Amino acid sequence: MPGTQPAPIHPSAIISQEARLAENVTVGPFVVIDGPVVVGEGTVIHAHAHLIGPATLGANNEICTGAVIGGTPQHLAYKGEVTTLEIGDGNIFREYTTIHRAMPAGTGSGTGITRVGDRNLFMACSHVAHDCRVGNDCIFANSAVIGGHVEVGDRALISGNSCIHQFCRVGRLGLLSGSSAVSKDIPPFWVMQNINKVGGINTIGMRRAGIPTVEIQAIRRAFAFIYIDRLDLPAALLRMEAELGQFPAIRELVEFIRSSKRGICGAHRYQSTSEDAAA
């Protein structure tokens, strides 16, 4: 009838008795919510999406057509153990995005939980593997893929058709260019491209994030210590602390590099093709 509002839960949806949905959750046609899934208020689940528990989703998320949220780990050692997925508020999971639960704690490096923060955008066909940690305000472009145990800092950008090797970390405002891949850590503010190539710093992202110009210039100088002056890494870090240590972003950068287990790409991997590269 004209003016009739659609039902918040479509009659064709299949919802487990274990699921717990807030009163104002919208569930579209042919959605499957399987097992103990908690869905927060204001969340919209579009047609043909599949949510699998144990999983907890916060408020105001949007899950688009064909997305699979909470699937089991793609790992040969997984034997059906109970693990979980935690998702914060305000995320958008576009068509056919896949987010997997963790490996069980005590099985290899399993942690038992995959975590996604708030206000992230996962474009179509992007993938977050088991045991990952994704921060806030990140963008995963179409078909961006991260392997197991990857940690992604706030406001990072993983561009289309790119991938990050398992156990790597991406620092805050790190950027991986389109059709690229890395098997090393991406420090905060760094731009990576191609295969383990360093391209410069994420100047545009830092400006949009409100980082002061003087601090951006300090990050540019810190980048130059490694990739232009070609200092060895311990010497470069000491110089950053001595000359630029008054800036919080520099302290964040130094701590990230010092704590890196996979390491970062050195000066021999520098390949500038961007106006944002330090020069």
Side-chain angles (χ1 to χ4, degrees):
M1 296 177 59
T4 300
Q5 294 296 317
I9 298 179
H10 195 275
S12 65
I14 300 174
I15 301 176
S16 167
Q17 292 184 350
E18 298 177 274
R20 297 291 180 267
L21 278 59
E23 291 185 2
N24 58 346
V25 170
T26 300
V27 180
F30 305 107
V31 165
V32 176
I33 301 179
D34 186 1
V37 178
V38 177
V39 182
E41 62 182 15
T43 292
V44 177
I45 307 171
H46 293 278
H48 296 280
H50 189 182
L51 280 62
I52 306 164
T56 301
L57 289 76
N60 301 313
N61 291 292
E62 182 177 8
I63 297 97
C64 293
T65 300
V68 180
I69 308 299
T72 57
Q74 296 179 134
H75 196 301
L76 292 174
Y78 181 72
K79 304 301 180 185
E81 299 93 339
V82 175
T83 60
T84 191
L85 167 66
E86 287 187 359
I87 293 173
D89 302 333
N91 298 285
I92 299 173
F93 302 94
R94 291 302 301 261
E95 297 80 2
Y96 304 101
T97 293
T98 51
I99 313 288
H100 286 175
R101 302 197 313 272
M103 289 293 290
T107 302
S109 300
T111 64
I113 185 166
T114 300
R115 287 192 174 94
V116 174
D118 303 329
R119 300 177 303 280
N120 299 291
L121 170 59
F122 298 89
M123 296 187 192
C125 300
S126 55
H127 173 65
V128 174
H130 61 88
D131 299 280
C132 287
R133 303 286 188 270
V134 178
N136 304 319
D137 302 297
C138 300
I139 296 176
F140 285 58
N142 297 69
S143 299
V145 175
I146 62 174
H149 303 274
V150 168
E151 298 180 16
V152 181
D154 295 347
R155 301 185 73 104
L157 171 58
I158 315 300
S159 300
N161 297 298
S162 60
C163 57
I164 298 177
H165 192 279
Q166 61 200 44
F167 292 101
C168 287
R169 295 187 302 154
V170 181
R172 181 170 69 102
L173 285 161
L175 188 156
L176 179 60
S177 296
S179 300
S180 299
V182 292
S183 58
K184 296 286 189 178
D185 288 348
I186 303 176
F189 323 116
W190 260 220
V191 174
M192 301 286 289
Q193 59 195 12
N194 299 327
I195 307 296
N196 283 336
K197 294 289 186 180
V198 180
I201 63 171
N202 184 11
T203 303
I204 294 173
M206 287 188 287
R207 287 173 181 159
R208 289 175 176 171
I211 295 178
T213 299
V214 65
E215 198 156 4
I216 294 174
Q217 292 302 320
I219 294 165
R220 186 180 295 277
R221 185 62 187 133
F223 182 95
F225 290 156
I226 301 173
Y227 299 103
I228 306 301
D229 301 340
R230 301 178 72 88
L231 298 177
D232 63 71
L233 197 55
L237 293 175
L238 289 173
R239 192 165 174 187
M240 289 178 202
E241 290 176 315
E243 298 183 17
L244 307 167
Q246 69 271 31
F247 296 106
I250 296 297
R251 297 194 294 272
E252 176 183 351
L253 176 64
V254 169
E255 192 281 330
F256 181 98
I257 295 174
R258 284 211 171 111
S259 64
S260 174
K261 294 180 180 178
R262 294 195 65 86
I264 70 168
C265 291
H268 65 292
R269 307 299 298 182
Y270 177 46
Q271 179 181 314
S272 172
T273 60
S274 168
E275 65 179 11
D276 292 328

